[in-house]
Amino acid sequence: TQGVNELTAATRPDGRLVIGATVMQSYLHTDGDLGDYRLVDATDPRQPQPLSDWDQRRKMSPESQGETDAVPTDYHIHSSRFSADGMMAWLAAWDGGVVALDLAVVGDPVVAAVLPAGPTTAGNVHSVAIDPSARLLIRSDEDLNPIAADGEAPGWGGQTLYDISDVGRVEPLGEFRSPNAGDEELVPSYSGFFSAHEAEIADGIEYVAAYSDGLRIVDIAEPEDPVEIGSFVPPPALDKHGHWKAYDGTPAFPLVWGVEVVDELIYLSDVNTGLWIVRLSTPDGDVSGVGVL
């Protein structure tokens, strides 16, 4: 396989600690024997027990898993989040959109909803964030090619906000894109990488790791109209490994990859400069207490 990309844990009402791990392209590398999404009982961490594995491709025809109109379609489970009680899992399934799994019987996941990637996006559903109230889900698309192709939206990857209070009737509410991501009206920047990557939700605020647009802080009290209230962008730096190369040749740029919020502190990882620790000091988005490791 390509290894575990992401894992989360939840304690279920029966007291069991369950881990959900996304093991990307297991389905391909094992000829379908193991799905990309693995569920493990870790109540006794000395003896973790596999519970089930799941993959959407098991119910798809071989033709639908291949190429459509000469555009490669990539189905894999990239990341996942549990509901607070561990009875539901939401999977970011790349070109397969977002999949909600009912885990009432954790050994037998059942599809409760599918939110397609959409015909006007490049797919690449990288991750999801869930409001603790279980009313709001934010989908982040990792589109690293800002050049519009036929049938695709121009610009870098953005976000879609959904009302998931009724899993049977999930509705899109609004969208958010970082300042340099571009869209049908705004030309994207080519001096770095400006896609959404990961997000966290805390106290009605969304914190977005947006690559070269750094950390974006977004008020989502009205999810139909998310409003950016602050940001923190690390200084530009060279990629020491030479992997990331800006489209316009810019040699150095920020590259914020991940974000985590713990109490009043925000931790963000920049591929090129390290781990930054910042604090949201005022309601209007000012950031202070900056430190770097």
Side-chain angles (χ1 to χ4, degrees), residues 87-209:
M87 299 297 286
M88 179 84 64
W90 296 85
L91 314 182
W94 212 246
D95 291 342
V98 176
V99 180
L101 293 182
D102 185 334
L103 302 180
V105 180
V106 70
D108 185 21
V110 175
V111 175
V114 178
L115 315 180
T120 61
T121 75
N124 299 19
V125 180
H126 173 276
S127 58
V128 294
I130 300 175
D131 177 28
S133 70
R135 188 182 78 84
L136 184 68
L137 178 143
I138 301 177
R139 178 190 107 197
S140 296
D141 295 347
E142 186 188 27
D143 182 1
L144 297 180
N145 182 358
I147 301 171
D150 291 344
E152 293 181 359
W156 305 91
Q159 294 183 309
T160 306
L161 289 73
Y162 295 90
D163 181 349
I164 60 169
S165 54
D166 181 351
V167 177
R169 296 182 60 186
V170 176
E171 299 289 342
L173 298 173
E175 296 182 347
F176 174 76
R177 301 176 74 85
S178 62
N180 290 294
D183 55 25
E184 290 84 352
E185 299 178 357
L186 298 174
V187 176
S189 172
Y190 299 101
S191 61
F193 296 82
F194 298 93
S195 175
H197 189 244
E198 291 185 345
E200 292 290 334
I201 301 173
D203 299 323
I205 302 294
E206 182 197 15
Y207 302 84
V208 188

Side-chain angles (χ1 to χ4, degrees), residues 162-287:
Y162 295 90
D163 181 349
I164 60 169
S165 54
D166 181 351
V167 177
R169 296 182 60 186
V170 176
E171 299 289 342
L173 298 173
E175 296 182 347
F176 174 76
R177 301 176 74 85
S178 62
N180 290 294
D183 55 25
E184 290 84 352
E185 299 178 357
L186 298 174
V187 176
S189 172
Y190 299 101
S191 61
F193 296 82
F194 298 93
S195 175
H197 189 244
E198 291 185 345
E200 292 290 334
I201 301 173
D203 299 323
I205 302 294
E206 182 197 15
Y207 302 84
V208 188
Y211 281 105
S212 299
D213 263 335
L215 168 71
R216 315 312 297 189
I217 304 171
V218 185
D219 187 334
I220 53 174
E222 297 182 8
E224 300 84 357
D225 185 25
V227 177
E228 182 174 303
I229 60 171
S231 63
F232 174 77
V233 182
L238 293 170
D239 171 15
K240 299 177 179 64
H241 301 284
H243 175 77
W244 299 89
K245 298 178 181 179
Y247 282 81
D248 69 356
T250 300
F253 36 81
L255 210 58
V256 174
W257 180 265
V259 60
E260 189 70 38
V261 181
V262 182
D263 298 326
E264 79 281 4
L265 295 179
I266 310 161
Y267 299 81
L268 47 143
S269 56
D270 184 299
V271 172
N272 294 339
T273 59
L275 174 67
W276 293 80
I277 305 170
V278 301
R279 178 183 289 110
L280 182 62
S281 58
T282 66
D284 59 2
D286 289 342
V287 173

